[in-house]
Amino acid sequence: MALALRPPRVPKPKSGLPSHYHESFLEKKGPRDRDYKKFWAGLQGLTLYFYNSYRDSQYMEKLDLGVFVKLTDESPWGSSHDPGTHFCLVLRHQEIKFKVESLESREMWKGFILTVVELRVPSNLTLLPGHLYMMAEALAKEEARRALEMPSCFLKVSRLEAQLLLERHPECGNLLLRPSGDGAGGVSVSTLQTLNGTPVVQHYKVKREGPKYVIDVKEPFSCTSLDAVVNYFVSHSNKKLMPFLLDDDYEKVIGYVEADKENGESVWVTASAPSAPSAPGPGPAPPRGGPKQLPPSSIAPVSSQDKLPPLLNQDENYVIPTGDAPAANYVNQDVPSPSRPVVPKPRKLAMFQAKPPIVPMSEPKKGLNSGLARKLAVSSAQAFSSPTTGLADVTAELKGKLQRRLALEHAAECTGDQRANLQAWRVSQADPSSQN
């Protein structure tokens, strides 16, 4: 039994969006919602928009009907009968439950959704002639809109790229439109299905003949728009083919809802882009945990008293330290201990130490005692080993090593002299003529 037709509400026109095909209050419950939330909803094209109030011009949420699967009558949980105020919208990846005010409102919403999705006025709903007329008008508007725009599953890709997209993203759909390779203004349809675990890719050609599109199959079929081409493949495949839609439904601009100070209505405000950083100056302190900024230091002229002293000699390739310990930046050398005093290297010993005089030495006779020669060697060694003005800071360790070395050399010379004297004595005893 048909219900009486109620006069539709006429809310204030919205400046931000075009007029809706149908709009009224809807209570929505998503898969993550615990309870229903009431919105003012409007249907425009293949998108269902949700507003906090019918006065708002900016939607809060939206649903894309391009991934529509079916509509069902959903009875409330725990109830054995459906009072006619619930229905469920099944999309490709989610199910959304709705609650309306009456059975008439539920049938109106189901009728308009099926009209824009299937591009035909449904005939299996409880609707009055006035409702059917309103849906026929919405159908004409939707067909005109789709004739001027490309469907969302149309991508400017090649044949191979289309096949790769369908194989890598099966969850996004299995039907894709792309430009035809003949360059005649037509399009091609690429589909992918799985047969016994093997992917099967098929390509169809769609010719452009004036304002119409002709699907080149065994029995050619003419369509008024590319959306009609997509609907033809979906309907003739028992909805096994679904349009390919990438999950890129993300906003590019940050916005928020704010109450208008004049009339109290909620308005949508877009956040302004951050300005370019200005010249450094006094400003707020940096956030905690971030890098600390050093305060700017003033550069004062250096006075003559603060200047470094000049080098003593420009020919010397070193700089006298001014109280700081030398840096130990060296490799494979002994690191000076902090508890042990650092002994500086002597500077050019030739400037402070005089060269010993060269004294010509006569070779001693073989028969004479070599004690004088040994004394001269020891005295000359002691002359070289005695500390001079330039060697005043030589450590005791170096002195001990030098003395031990000289003692060893002296012992070796004594042993050699004794052997030479013993051999000379034996020769003299063996030769009696040498005694005379």
Side-chain angles (χ1 to χ4, degrees), residues 13 98 224 429:
F98 294 101
T224 57
Q429 293 295 330

Side-chain angles (χ1 to χ4, degrees), residues 137-205:
E137 288 184 340
L139 177 60
K141 294 179 180 179
E142 181 63 16
E143 290 177 345
R145 185 190 68 84
R146 296 192 185 186
L148 300 177
E149 63 179 12
M150 290 291 182
S152 55
C153 61
F154 179 85
L155 299 176
K156 294 183 179 180
V157 295
S158 62
R159 184 189 185 103
L160 179 59
E161 291 173 344
Q163 181 176 344
L164 292 176
L165 284 174
L166 294 174
E167 291 177 353
R168 294 177 180 177
H169 305 281
E171 72 281 357
C172 296
N174 55 3
L175 184 147
L176 185 147
L177 270 67
R178 56 182 177 84
S180 179
D182 55 5
V187 296
S188 298
V189 179
S190 299
T191 63
L192 184 144
Q193 300 182 75
T194 303
L195 178 62
N196 298 327
T198 304
V200 179
V201 180
Q202 295 177 327
H203 304 278
Y204 301 90
K205 192 173 184 179

Side-chain angles (χ1 to χ4, degrees), residues 267-285:
V267 294
W268 185 261
V269 181
T270 302
S272 59
S275 58
S278 58

Side-chain angles (χ1 to χ4, degrees), residues 144-385:
R145 185 190 68 84
R146 296 192 185 186
L148 300 177
E149 63 179 12
M150 290 291 182
S152 55
C153 61
F154 179 85
L155 299 176
K156 294 183 179 180
V157 295
S158 62
R159 184 189 185 103
L160 179 59
E161 291 173 344
Q163 181 176 344
L164 292 176
L165 284 174
L166 294 174
E167 291 177 353
R168 294 177 180 177
H169 305 281
E171 72 281 357
C172 296
N174 55 3
L175 184 147
L176 185 147
L177 270 67
R178 56 182 177 84
S180 179
D182 55 5
V187 296
S188 298
V189 179
S190 299
T191 63
L192 184 144
Q193 300 182 75
T194 303
L195 178 62
N196 298 327
T198 304
V200 179
V201 180
Q202 295 177 327
H203 304 278
Y204 301 90
K205 192 173 184 179
V206 181
K207 299 179 181 179
R208 182 71 180 270
E209 295 181 357
K212 295 185 178 182
Y213 296 91
V214 180
I215 303 175
D216 190 8
V217 291
K218 187 176 182 179
E219 296 181 0
F221 185 82
S222 178
C223 302
T224 57
S225 64
L226 291 178
D227 280 292
V229 174
V230 175
N231 292 331
Y232 175 84
F233 280 91
V234 173
S235 60
H236 283 71
S237 64
N238 197 17
K239 295 186 178 180
K240 300 298 181 182
L241 295 177
M242 299 299 294
F244 184 86
L245 299 175
L246 286 175
D247 297 334
D248 57 351
D249 189 14
Y250 296 97
E251 301 293 340
K252 302 299 183 182
V253 180
I254 299 177
Y256 55 93
V257 178
E258 188 177 30
D260 193 348
K261 297 181 180 179
E262 297 181 357
N263 50 19
E265 296 183 359
S266 298
V267 294
W268 185 261
V269 181
T270 302
S272 59
S275 58
S278 58
R288 299 181 62 182
K292 297 182 179 180
Q293 297 181 357
L294 297 176
S297 59
S298 58
I299 301 176
V302 181
S303 61
S304 58
Q305 298 179 356
D306 299 334
K307 293 182 179 179
L308 294 176
L311 297 178
L312 297 179
N313 191 348
Q314 298 297 333
D315 296 334
E316 301 180 45
N317 296 325
Y318 55 86
V319 178
I320 300 176
T322 59
D324 296 334
N329 50 356
Y330 39 79
V331 180
N332 296 335
Q333 294 183 6
D334 296 333
V335 180
S337 175
S339 61
R340 183 176 177 181
V342 179
V343 180
K345 295 183 179 180
R347 306 172 187 165
K348 292 190 179 182
L349 299 179
M351 298 176 60
F352 302 95
Q353 180 179 356
K355 294 183 180 180
I358 301 175
V359 179
M361 298 176 62
S362 61
E363 183 179 357
K365 295 182 180 180
K366 294 182 179 180
L368 297 178
N369 193 355
S370 59
L372 180 59
R374 289 195 298 271
K375 290 181 180 181
L376 290 174
V378 173
S379 61
S380 61
Q382 291 179 355
F384 283 98
S385 61

Side-chain angles (χ1 to χ4, degrees), residues 391-434:
L391 299 179
D393 298 331
V394 178
T395 60
E397 184 178 359
L398 295 179
K399 290 181 180 180
K401 290 182 179 180
L402 183 57
Q403 290 177 0
R404 287 194 295 271
R405 182 174 179 181
L406 294 177
L408 293 175
E409 292 179 356
H410 178 66
E413 291 178 0
C414 291
T415 303
D417 292 342
Q418 290 176 1
R419 290 180 181 176
N421 294 335
L422 180 59
Q423 184 177 2
W425 180 80
R426 288 179 180 177
V427 172
S428 64
Q429 293 295 330
D431 189 5
S433 62
S434 61

